[in-house]
Every structure is written in C-alpha cells, then in structure tokens.
Amino acid sequence: MSRYKQESSPWQRRHTVVLLCFLATFICYIDRVNISVAIIPMAEQFGWSDTQRGLVLSSFFVGYLVTQVLGGWLAGKLGGKMVLGFGVLWWSLFTLLTPLSALASFPLLIAARILMGVGEGVAFPATYNLLGRWVPLRERSRAAAFNLSAIPLGTLFAVTATPFIAVAFGWPAVFYVFGAMGFLWFAFWWYYAADRPPHAASAVVSGGSSERAAEMAEQERDRLIPWRGILSKGPVWAIVIGHFANNWGLYVLLSWLPSYFSSQLGVNLRSVWLFVAPPWIASFLMSNVAGWIADRMIIAGKSVTFTRKLMQSIGFLGPAFALGALATTTEAVTAVVLLSAALGLASFTFAGLGCNHLDISPRHAGVIFGISNTAATIPGIVGVALTGFLVDRTGTYAAAFYLTAAVLLF
C-alpha cells in the first residue's frame, strides 16, 4: 500500500503542486524565449551582427549551466519549494533588468543574461525533486510530460505576445511585462506549495515514536546523495547523452526560429508569430498525448524501459528526418509544416528521457536531472552560438539544420 493517504476529492493536493510547477516552467520559458523575438528590433537599434546575436542568445546558458547540479543538491537540503521559489524571483529580477543592461552596454547585457540563467538553472532540478515526492508511478508520464509541455506553451506565448508588445510599446516593455509575472506566481506558490505530501510532515509531529523515527530517517536519506552510485550507472549516462542531443535541437530552434523566418524567408516582425506558433502548438498537444500513451502502455503491462525507449525513438528519428528536409526548403508554408512535424514528434521525448529520471531514482531525481541538464546546457552555449556563426558564413540555415539532424541521429 502507498504510504500516501488517498484523498477523496478528484482534485488532490499533488495536482496543485504539479500545476504550479507547470506555471513555473511556463514563466521560465517565456522569460527565456522572449529575447529570440525581441532581438530582431534590438539588433536593428544597436547594429548587431548575427554572431553578436548568437552571443546574446547563448550567454544565458553560461549561467544556466553552473546551477544545475547545485539546484538538485539544494532542493534535497532545503526543499524544492524554497529553491524553485527563489529561482523564479531571481530570474524574474534579471528579466526586468535586461533593457537597462542593453542600453548601458553590450557586456552588461551579456552579464545580465548570464545571471538570469543562474536563476533558471535551479528550476528543473527543484521541480523534479518535488515530482519525485508527490507523483505516483501510474501518473508519472502524464505529470512529467504536462510539466514539460509548458516549454512549447511558454515558447508559443512568448513568440506570439512579444511582437505585439514590442511594436505597440517598444521592445523594453516585453521584459518588464514578462518579468513581473514571476513575482505574481510567487505569491500563489508560497501559499499553496509544499515540499512533500502534508501527512508525511505531520507524521513527524503527531505520529508515534516509530513513525517519527522512520520519517526522520527518510528525510536524512533525502539529504545524503549517493554520488558514486549515481555516476557509475549506465542508465544515468544514457539519460545524459540523450538529454544533450535533445537539447541541441530544442535550443537551436528556440533561439533561432523567429530570425530564420524573418531573415531567410522574409517574414516581417508583425507576422512572424503566425509562422512560429504552429510548431509550438503541435509540440504542446503532442507532449500531453505522448504522456497519456506512455501511462496507458505501462498500466496495460508494457515495461517502463520499453515504453521510454519507444517514446524516445519516435522523438529523435522523426525530427531528424524533418530537419533534413527543412534544410532544402525555401517556402515559408512548407517550413511551417516540417517544423510542426519536427517539434510535434520531438515531444514524445517528454514521455521518454523526460520521465526517466523519476523512474530510476524518484528520491534523487532532482540531482540526476541536474547532472543530465548540465550536459544538456552545453548545446545552448555551443549550438546556439555556432548557428549564428554558420549563418554568418554561409548565408543560410541549412548547415545548422543538417548538423542538428546528425546530432539527433547519433
């Protein structure tokens, strides 16, 4: 029997925690992605080259890299509630400071983007720490995929809202509006969230001596991280390699799609959201479909390992071939179709490696996610900057798309 008491209401406390984590991920991505659109008028104002644009877009990931493992470790020590809450406040502050930094100097903008990344780096490790404590196996694929589906939804919101805000009020307003949303979220988070199911904490206060001792021992095990055991396991390294390849494709598309449609396919700033939005809509829808399919397969008796591998295979092979075709495309509508197929199929990885941290170690999922996402942040630095370099040298995005497809196939 599960040690968690079953609640009679259809909407249970864990659903609130999962929803608030989803909203944190949503805010994480609107704050991360808005600059991929805002950089178009920013580059025109400041006279940046594609290489400089690549540096601005990739600098965020330098800060994001350094707090991944730290975020998982702190969540185990201090609790996911505090770490995630502080992270949202931190990156929201530096989102608000982005316009002032850009107007002051290019190096100061790079510094602000790096510091913003430091705050966002703790988000996913802290979230996985919470999911590992709150979500049972039968709901794991849906919960993880739902949380990760905030990535395309946040991206969709950012690329849709940013052009309108930038045209109507100027590009600095984008960062002021989006940055304020994190502070609003925090008020709900601090009131409704908790590190673990409430009866687990109350057992320490009201339970018998054996219950108190067991709960204290469990909390101590949460704090003691078996680093050697984690780093010596093949499944952990399979996640690390898969996560690296997955994020190479994700970060290149997150950062460069608006510029791709604007500079290569001739779409103006007011209309760019019409072309960028459909792929992210497909990603949001298919990520939740993939989570539902994966949970149904596991409930029906398919092994967790087979289910994760199947979802991951769909999520890598499909986008690889779609991006290969995209490299030769010159029509905007065809590009939208291929990108929708690529991102829709890529969302199956949310029910693959996106859940696997929770499968192999629910207690230390935050730390394992921190390790894998550290490796997976390197493409944000290298892949995003390299894309700008390739576009500068070749004049097209074909080489970048071929390289991304090759990484996914590998």
Side-chain angles (χ1 to χ4, degrees):
M1 178 181 295
S2 170
R3 67 183 181 87
Y4 299 142
K5 295 178 182 178
Q6 296 298 314
E7 302 171 27
S8 57
S9 171
W11 184 267
Q12 299 182 14
R13 181 71 181 276
R14 67 178 179 275
H15 299 142
T16 300
V17 173
V18 171
L19 177 60
L20 287 169
C21 288
F22 168 89
L23 292 174
T25 304
F26 175 82
I27 294 170
C28 175
Y29 268 78
I30 65 172
D31 287 346
R32 183 186 308 193
V33 173
N34 56 20
I35 199 168
S36 69
V37 178
I39 202 169
I40 297 172
M42 291 172 74
E44 292 175 355
Q45 177 175 334
F46 298 115
W48 294 337
S49 67
D50 282 322
T51 299
Q52 287 177 300
R53 289 162 72 165
L55 290 174
V56 173
L57 294 171
S58 64
S59 59
F60 163 89
F61 295 100
V62 175
Y64 190 66
L65 177 75
V66 301
T67 50
Q68 292 295 321
V69 177
L70 177 63
W73 179 78
L74 287 174
K77 291 284 186 181
L78 305 177
K81 176 182 177 178
M82 179 180 293
V83 174
L84 181 57
F86 177 77
V88 174
L89 290 181
W90 178 278
W91 86 59
S92 297
L93 173 63
F94 282 97
T95 299
L96 291 172
L97 292 174
T98 298
L100 295 176
S101 303
L103 292 167
S105 69
F106 188 80
L108 198 58
L109 172 62
I110 296 297
R113 293 294 295 173
I114 291 172
L115 289 171
M116 179 186 166
V118 167
E120 289 206 6
V122 305
F124 281 109
T127 296
Y128 271 67
N129 175 279
L130 291 162
L131 295 180
R133 284 160 171 70
W134 279 93
V135 181
L137 174 61
R138 67 182 181 275
E139 299 176 8
R140 191 167 291 159
S141 300
R142 281 169 290 171
F146 175 66
N147 177 70
L148 293 172
S149 73
I151 295 174
L153 190 66
T155 302
L156 173 64
F157 182 86
V159 299
T160 302
T162 297
F164 290 102
I165 297 173
V167 170
F169 305 104
W171 63 262
V174 173
F175 301 97
Y176 299 142
V177 171
F178 287 7
M181 294 176 68
F183 291 89
L184 178 63
W185 170 91
F186 182 81
F188 291 91
W189 175 254
W190 205 249
Y191 183 78
Y192 288 107
D195 288 321
R196 61 187 69 243
H199 78 278
S202 66
V204 176
V205 178
S206 60
S209 59
S210 61
E211 288 178 300
R212 288 197 299 272
E215 184 63 26
M216 289 294 191
E218 179 179 345
Q219 291 185 18
E220 185 60 28
R221 288 195 300 271
D222 288 349
R223 297 187 181 98
L224 296 174
I225 300 169
W227 294 104
R228 179 177 296 179
I230 289 172
L231 295 174
S232 65
K233 301 300 183 185
V236 172
W237 289 103
I239 291 174
V240 169
I241 294 169
H243 206 162
F244 175 93
N246 181 78
N247 281 23
W248 186 288
L250 174 65
Y251 289 153
V252 167
L253 294 179
L254 275 177
S255 300
W256 286 101
L257 273 192
S259 295
Y260 164 70
F261 279 105
S262 175
S263 63
Q264 182 156 321
L265 300 182
V267 178
N268 63 50
L269 180 61
R270 288 177 180 271
S271 303
V272 72
W273 70 274
L274 290 170
F275 295 86
V276 177
W280 296 114
I281 294 173
S283 179
F284 172 74
L285 294 175
M286 294 309 299
S287 58
N288 287 288
V289 169
W292 180 84
I293 291 172
D295 273 347
R296 295 305 303 172
M297 289 176 65
I298 292 170
I299 292 171
K302 296 292 184 183
S303 75
V304 174
T305 300
F306 173 80
T307 302
R308 300 296 180 231
K309 287 182 177 180
L310 177 62
M311 297 294 107
Q312 194 65 27
S313 297
I314 295 171
F316 273 6
L317 295 177
F321 288 108
L323 288 173
L326 183 66
T328 62
T329 297
T330 57
E331 295 291 331
V333 174
T334 304
V336 170
V337 172
L338 288 171
L339 283 166
S340 297
L343 286 171
L345 292 171
S347 297
F348 278 77
T349 64
F350 293 171
L353 74 84
C355 303
N356 205 216
H357 311 74
L358 298 166
D359 297 326
I360 65 175
S361 182
R363 187 183 303 279
H364 301 297
V367 172
I368 296 174
F369 194 97
I371 293 169
S372 71
N373 210 24
T374 298
T377 302
I378 295 172
I381 302 170
V382 177
V384 173
L386 181 59
T387 298
F389 175 82
L390 291 172
V391 173
D392 260 348
R393 294 301 181 274
T394 66
T396 75
Y397 286 79
F401 291 148
Y402 279 133
L403 179 58
T404 301
V407 171
L408 294 177
L409 288 172
F410 169 80

